[in-house]
Amino acid sequence: MKTVFDALRRIPVMRRTPASLTRLKALVRKEFLQIVRDPSSIAIAFLMPLFLLLLFGYGVSLDTEHVPVAFVAEQPSADTDDFRSSLLGSRYFAIATLRTLPEAEQALREGRVNAIVRLRANFSERLRRADGAPIQIIVNGVDANTAQLTLGYLEGAWGNWLTRRVASRGGELTAPVQLEQRVWFNSELKSRNFLVPGLVAIVMTLIGTLLTALVMAREWERGTLEALLVTPTRMSEILLGKIIAYFTLGTGGMLISVGLAVWLFGVPLRGSFWLLWTCASLFLLAALGMGLAISTVARNQFVAGQLAIVGTFLPAFLLSGFIFDIDSMPAAVQGVTHVIVARYFVTIVQTLFLAGDVWSVVLPNALALLAMAAFFLAVTWRKSRKRLE
Amino acid sequence: MLTRLLALIVKEFLALLKDPKSRTVLIGPPLIQLIVFGYAATFELKDIPYAVFNEDRSAISRDFEAAFTGAPSFRRIATIRSEEEIAPLIDDRQVLLVIHIGQRFGAQQLSGDPAPLQVIVDGRNSNTAMVALNYVRRIVNQYNEDWLKAHGQSGLPAHLESRAWFNPNLESRWFFVPGIIGMLSLITTILVTAMTVAREREQGTFDQLLVTPLRPAEILLGKALPGFIIGMVQGTVILLIATLWFRVPLLGSLPALYCGLALFLLSGVGAGLLISSLAVTQQQGLLGGFLFMVPASILSGFATPIANMPPVVQAITLIDPLRYFLVVLRKVFLEGAGFDILFGQLWPMALIGVASLSLASWLFRHRMY
Amino acid sequence: MVMAMKEAPILVADHLSKSFTPGRQRIQALDAVSFAIRPGVITGLIGPDAAGKTTLMRLAAGLLVPDSGSIHALGLDATHDSLTVQASLGYMPQRFGLYEDLTVQENLDLYADLQGVAKDVRGERYGELMHMTGLQPFVGRLAGKLSGGMKQKLGLACTLVRPPRLLLLDEPTVGVDPVSRRELWSIIDRLVASEGMSVLLSTAYLDEAERCDEVILLHEGKVMAQGIPAEMSATLRGRTWTVSLPGRQHRALQMRLAQTAGVVDALVQGERIRLVTEQAQLPDAIDSHPDMHEATVDPVAPRFEDLFVDMLRGRPNSTPHATHLDFAPISPHADGDATAPVIKVDRLIRCFGDFRAVDGISFDVRRGEIFGLLGANGAGKSTTFRMLCGLLPPSSGHLEVAGLDLRHAASAARARIGYMSQKFSQYGNLSVGQNLAFFASAYGLANKARAERLAWAEDEFDLVRYRNQLAGDLPLGYKQRLAMACALMHRPEILFLDEPTSGVDPLARREFWQRINALALSGVTVLVTTHFMEEAEYCDRLVIMAAGRILTVGEPAAIKAAVRSPELPEPSMEDAFIKHVEET
């Protein structure tokens, strides 16, 4: 770490002489021409966000509805029908009525249903006894999260049924404490509202890194760098030229992603667009920097490609807080998440989209992004001095 | 035939493992990632930060507070004295939820009226919010039951008796660790295969291969087997870590699991080689690898159930080999399934593998120039 | 070593050393090299592969840091003031990194901007450069779509957008056909004459050394000699001859002469053999041989190449390797007529889009023949080869190799051919031994046969000491050897060699042809593409190709005879080639 800061300090303050500006412009233009001629960069920047966001925006959802549930009433009666109809009315369940428990268990084992609701033969009778009738629920616990949700839904359906049943008999069912939940920022608890902004961050990590992961390695492999190096061009200009070009390209991809999120998926953007823009730019810089660093360190497209595959997707997917709550991870793993660029941006976009300009969240994360960008660019710069060794 | 094939495989292994950077990338990360991700991937909340805004100073409200203090998943961060303090705490993500106890909380309970308890949750991560609310509801339900019992009121006419099969404590790690095995295997096969043919094309060695008596099918096999072997070895190591380190129960038939792994690797290698034979440059190979890998993982049902997807997307997942392998993994690990139950998952993978490999082999022959 | 100079030298090296450590081995690329270069002339940097030429160039351009010693260019320390030095010198690397997805004009603009050429002088400069290089009609074309020679000229143009005071050219003519080579040289001559530029140019072509005002001979990282080429070769006066023997196959004669004691070098040169002897008289062995009574032996003026071969052959490790190819004359397939064609090509056409790379060519190759395909870059030689080897389907026409179309033939048929491609195409990240082992198995060799051939390859091609080195790190000449070893591993009966000696130094080239001759004598059919005109002389028959068509077919002597004229009483192959190409 210390050496990197030393390196940062040693980056020459670029004197913007006219010659240097001309060179930079020429380099940027070169990058753009290459981008235009090689459709794969354009595909990465524009088609990939479109494709991935559409696919995931529609495909990924944690809103479990129509859970297949087997309903077994061992001795059907008016009471069991009453309970069954309360389940049928809910959009959370898709009820399959089966005759016997073994049948239902078989269905559960084969994965045709996720849960079994079983009313025993003496259900009606015990309903009228003091200790009440048991309603047996068996869930498939493999997917623990879905199982929890299913249990929650069943509890809700049961509660509604009870209240209705007691009320219809002129009684009143009062719970001493009644829960009134208020969900801020996402009152309907639509998972898309939090997944889509996170996806923007994931997709941009991939794009930013992929755009640059091979570019330096390619210049090494094709020998073009040697020709550039003997011109009066500085290494910093070569790198800056690349960053400017791919930054512009990445910004295009970013706009597409944000546009899709807002207009297609209807995620509210409560924060200011310009703040989002600024943070996105910082993030893009960090992602591009990471790609450049990979490319420079590997110097060989094959290894750079492998590093990009291993280093971007899964960490961004699992460790960024995109789906899994970082606070619930063990301390050591939480420590690891701090080196994942996407982590900071996921936090920022979720807040900016759903909560608004909360400076106390945005500022520290934006600073972290800035530090990451500086770190990666410093590594790149340090590893690519104007020598061939 | 056999010597030639063996030579090809040895060559592929050398090409993969000779470069120390490449070797590191291939061997190190999967193991580290399994451990890190194994801990990271969980929907359980262990440490919900919350604040209490108690306007009622009665003993009853303090008892109620104690129900939360005693719960292991909750960590009290702050005690609030005014309404205005709520927003900053939630906005800053210092707390996930605020429990607001009204002024007449205790009095209402004593008088038999329902006492409202307001819970304000940060909904930015809707899943976390939902899980946290579930926890709160459970505590409140427990409190209610205890309170009713203590005050001699009659019970309810019906109650739920719930049980979870296969994963009685509903530990989400048991669900995710097998999933990570699938994801890592996929990444390894793509890593090994997606760029190899393009690299040989770019370096000119592919022509040299084609003028030898090696048949395209042999070259393909030579490229497929290293990915397959590495995937098998890595899969075995990961399985060991999953069972010995994470203590995920492995109940089902091991042969069935390995059969699933083999078929999955077959289809993954097939997809990787298909990409590889289509790509002219390594850049395209890498891009293709990503375009396969990312959707294949996200739409596999790893974190978000396939059942939640719209029908069109569900149809797309039918060509995702990871989808089937995840089911095999989870069913074998947790449900103790054997071949009979898994047959429906095995044949699609075999089909995908055979189809993609034949297509790749056709492309090998017809894209030689 | 440093000679008296009238003007301040423009490039001075002082005890310059540089080493690399790829893998475990340490390679001393330059070992205490000292020299000084005069301004305003062309200085040639001559040496075999791995002599340290490229390292020296890179050090002069400030791209490497020396281990010890110093190098000063234009009075500045190239290592410490690298940016300033780079601003006033021009350097064209061996493989000039043109951006292939940019057009000619865009490449020029890029380098003009990077070199800080003022906008108002550009028009004129571009005009000059484009005129000089003849690229004017192609300014809008993508650099990747240019032929090899044109790329090289564009590289030079990019280097020259801002006229440098010192121009460093690292093997600018490697892989460039004779026509383009002449053009490149005339450009360089003009630059020196009209702009007073100083040029340091490295090359493996020794005829080019003679065009330099001064040469530095580099060998294994040390300066062996520095001087004016004509003066240097003059030291060999009296030791160079030409021999001709009527009615005698000159190839066989050359082989015999080369193995005679007292002969340093024997080389086919047209209808004669060029001889360099150890002493200033013909060795007794030649004089006393009965055959030689009919021979005409004339003393000739020494060339620089004679000197080079003489100097290097006198060193340890550089003695010519005795060739024992161990080729049992293969004839299992030689059923019947020995002169029946083994390769038949009939009206072969290959199009890429609307571009006809090969445009209706026909020729036959007989068994045991060395058949040459001569042509400029982009003439369609490699495309023809790739079709013959079954790597590329023809658009139309018919071809047959050993009676088969290799694209559809059973894989066993491919075991009958060997192919060595133009580009290095062994596995760069595998070691030499691993490459050999792989190709041996790929050709289906096993057990004892495999072990024997591996031992043969390592021994024959002198690869033992490189066995554990990565193939990608080998010097160019050894890469070529490895490629050839791999192609010969399975004793093929037909051998395809695509530009096998491009960029290889004269000694390695001699060794290479020695092998080819031996192979042909044992009945192997050899197809070779080349743009070394002197190598064309080794062929039994050859075709000259241009723009996808065959201009002429025949024996070298006949092709040369066809262009004989009063102005050119004894045309060289290069003359014949240029004449044919110009006629179209």
Side-chain angles (χ1 to χ4, degrees), chain B residues 176-358:
Chain B
F176 284 118
V177 168
I180 293 170
I181 299 177
M183 297 261 260
L184 291 178
S185 302
L186 177 73
I187 287 189
T188 305
T189 50
I190 294 296
L191 212 57
V192 173
T193 53
M195 285 166 78
T196 53
V197 181
R199 172 161 73 164
E200 293 223 23
R201 273 190 221 275
E202 274 188 11
Q203 296 180 345
T205 47
F206 203 56
D207 281 356
Q208 204 69 49
L209 274 188
L210 290 175
V211 297
T212 64
L214 292 166
R215 294 184 187 86
E218 288 173 336
I219 298 177
L220 187 79
L221 212 56
K223 294 236 167 262
L225 279 173
F228 190 80
I229 294 169
I230 291 178
M232 275 295 190
V233 172
Q234 188 191 299
T236 308
V237 174
I238 297 182
L239 280 179
L240 286 174
I241 296 180
T243 45
L244 298 180
W245 179 274
F246 286 110
R247 306 247 164 230
V248 181
L250 178 55
L251 306 173
S253 118
L254 210 53
L257 187 61
Y258 267 93
C259 178
L261 179 61
L263 288 175
F264 172 67
L265 290 173
L266 186 77
S267 54
V269 163
L273 283 175
L274 191 58
I275 293 164
S276 201
S277 54
L278 276 170
V280 178
T281 61
Q282 296 188 61
Q283 162 110 14
Q284 290 175 5
L286 179 65
L287 181 62
F290 264 100
L291 280 181
F292 170 70
M293 189 177 76
V294 174
S297 330
I298 294 199
L299 299 182
S300 65
F302 167 73
T304 57
I306 292 175
N308 294 359
M309 299 172 188
V312 183
V313 182
Q314 287 200 32
I316 296 175
T317 65
L318 291 178
I319 56 167
D320 178 1
L322 187 57
R323 169 208 162 117
Y324 304 102
F325 187 44
L326 288 189
V327 176
V328 171
L329 280 166
R330 288 165 179 163
K331 278 196 184 282
V332 172
F333 261 99
L334 303 177
E335 301 183 16
F339 279 103
D340 47 338
I341 287 185
L342 296 175
F343 180 72
Q345 313 293 332
L346 296 178
W347 71 260
M349 285 197 283
L351 190 69
I352 294 171
V354 169
S356 55
L357 278 174
S358 342

Side-chain angles (χ1 to χ4, degrees), chain C residues 7 17 19 40 117 138 143 155 218 221 253 266 356 371 488 502 508 515:
Chain C
E7 299 157 83
S17 292
S19 63
V117 180
F138 309 107
L218 211 58
L253 176 63
R356 282 194 170 192
F371 190 87
L488 288 175
S502 178
R515 277 197 189 98

